[in-house]
């Protein structure tokens, strides 16, 4: 299946031959990928390998084999891995937090972990919290917040260091429709200067916010292109089967599965 080149110049993120195994299960199978500046959506069925890819890029999991480069540094090198972490923002599906902390205290704690200078921490924390629409709750304890608000705090901690690479795993879980619209706007803003990789099940988020889309199926790359090119695959389908990009997603999976079965 033809795809679209998604990077311009030197890619901040590049993986080659990336394989991740969990006991007898292969989560990623010799994957080659690169991500440039912009917002890149990761789509795929449950268990496809999206979270495994995000975790490796976030340096919280090691690959079984292959090479991962962030900003030109090899994550196999401990010093370069630590340097890369200072430039990362990461929101896992389930992030740990201290319920007795206020929003300000928690985001400041993460800023400290990311080695933001003390003189810059206060302004960085307030800026991050404002960006997710929680400025009026900055001194509220996390245990008093709704699930959607806690999720927004998770996004705030991910962006507090103005990361060059932002990794988000199902970031809109728990957000209401209005908050999701605001979040998409934030993603587009961040993607103007940074590399943002978003794992999601919601193709409408990809259509609205992403400049590129990568579809993963059973640990392999099933499709790479733009939201428009993916939608084009489903343009002539039955509207009863969803919108064009949803139909394109289904078509891309079907074609990939047929190709794999024919090998």
């Amino acid at each position: 299946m033809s795809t679209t080149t998604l990077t311009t110049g030197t890619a901040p993120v590049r993986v080659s031959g990336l394989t991740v195994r969990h006991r007898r299960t292969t989560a990623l199978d010799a994957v080659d990928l690169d991500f440039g500046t912009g917002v890149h959506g990761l789509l795929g069925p449950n268990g496809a390998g999206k979270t495994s890819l995000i975790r490796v890029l976030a340096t919280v999991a090691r690959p079984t084999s292959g090479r991962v480069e962030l900003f030109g540094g090899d994550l196999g090198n401990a010093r370069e891995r630590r340097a890369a972490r200072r430039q990362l923002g990461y929101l896992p599906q389930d992030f740990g937090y201290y319920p007795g902390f206020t929003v300000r205290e928690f985001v400041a704690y993460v800023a400290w972990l990311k080695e933001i200078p003390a003189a810059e921490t206060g302004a960085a924390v307030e800026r991050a919290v404002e960006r997710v629409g929680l400025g009026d709750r900055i001194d509220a304890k996390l245990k008093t917040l709704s699930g959607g608000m806690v999720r927004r705090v998770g996004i705030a901690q991910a962006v507090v260091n103005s990361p060059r690479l932002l990794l988000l795993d199902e970031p809109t879980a728990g957000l209401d429709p209005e908050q999701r619209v605001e979040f998409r706007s934030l993603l587009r803003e961040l993607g103007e200067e940074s590399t943002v990789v978003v794992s999601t099940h919601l193709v409408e988020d990809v259509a609205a916010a992403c400049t590129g889309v990568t579809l993963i199926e059973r640990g392999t790359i099933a499709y790479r292109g733009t939201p428009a090119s993916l939608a084009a695959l489903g343009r002539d389908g039955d509207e009863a089967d969803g919108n064009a990009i949803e139909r394109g997603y289904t078509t891309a999976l079907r074609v990939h599965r047929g190709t794999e079965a024919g090998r």
Side-chain angles (χ1 to χ4, degrees), residues 114-134:
K114 294 182 178 183
E115 302 181 9
I116 295 177
E120 301 173 15
T121 296
V125 169
E126 291 182 3
R127 182 169 57 250
V129 174
E130 286 286 349
R131 292 182 96 171
V132 300
L134 288 175

Side-chain angles (χ1 to χ4, degrees), residues 25-27 42-52 93 169-170 199-202 215-219 249 253 257:
T25 301
T26 299
L42 291 181
L43 290 173
N46 288 332
K50 304 187 299 298
T51 293
S52 292
Q93 289 188 41
D169 199 354
E170 300 292 345
S199 172
T200 182
H201 287 89
L202 302 174
L215 176 55
I216 301 179
E217 160 74 343
R218 296 181 182 177
Y249 168 86
L253 278 181
R257 288 167 180 167

